Amino acid sequence: ELAKNLADKNNSNFHFVYLPSYERYVKKNDNQEYKFIKKTIGDLNINFIDIDKEVFEKEKNPLKLFPFELPGHYNVEGYRKVGEAIYNNLQ
């Protein structure tokens, strides 16, 4: 909320980028944290860039966007797709 207020005060755009973790695709859960984050960002009227929906849901095997399909940061292809999704959302 403070970051949104600062952006508004400075006449700037503020975007929240949701970057899903490896565990989201390994553990089958109800994604309560994701739902809470999405609702909170929506309630604050902050632009939400959902990388899960923009990138990972479009993949047959989302784990292929992680090195050797193991936990950690995204691999080169994963970061390329994330970067493209952010870029497209900001256009």
Side-chain angles (χ1 to χ4, degrees):
E1 185 174 5
L2 292 173
K4 169 73 166 135
N5 291 340
L6 180 62
D8 290 344
K9 183 178 174 181
N10 289 301
N11 198 30
S12 299
N13 294 323
F14 183 70
H15 302 269
F16 182 92
V17 180
Y18 175 75
L19 297 171
S21 69
Y22 175 86
E23 287 75 22
R24 179 177 173 96
Y25 307 104
V26 174
K27 298 177 183 175
K28 304 298 180 204
N29 59 32
D30 59 1
N31 297 310
Q32 286 301 314
E33 289 177 355
Y34 167 78
K35 291 174 185 175
F36 174 77
I37 290 168
K38 189 169 182 174
K39 180 184 181 325
T40 301
I41 296 303
D43 291 347
L44 293 171
N45 199 29
I46 295 172
N47 298 314
F48 186 71
I49 300 175
D50 189 345
I51 297 302
D52 179 53
K53 295 220 181 301
E54 297 284 331
V55 176
F56 286 86
E57 279 188 4
K58 295 176 181 177
E59 295 292 329
K60 189 177 238 181
N61 175 16
L63 294 179
K64 78 174 191 163
L65 301 178
F66 295 88
F68 307 106
E69 298 187 12
L70 296 172
H73 291 274
Y74 305 140
N75 60 24
V76 172
E77 181 183 2
Y79 278 120
R80 182 185 57 75
K81 290 184 176 196
V82 167
E84 288 173 355
I86 292 170
Y87 177 80
N88 290 334
N89 272 275
L90 295 177
Q91 296 302 306

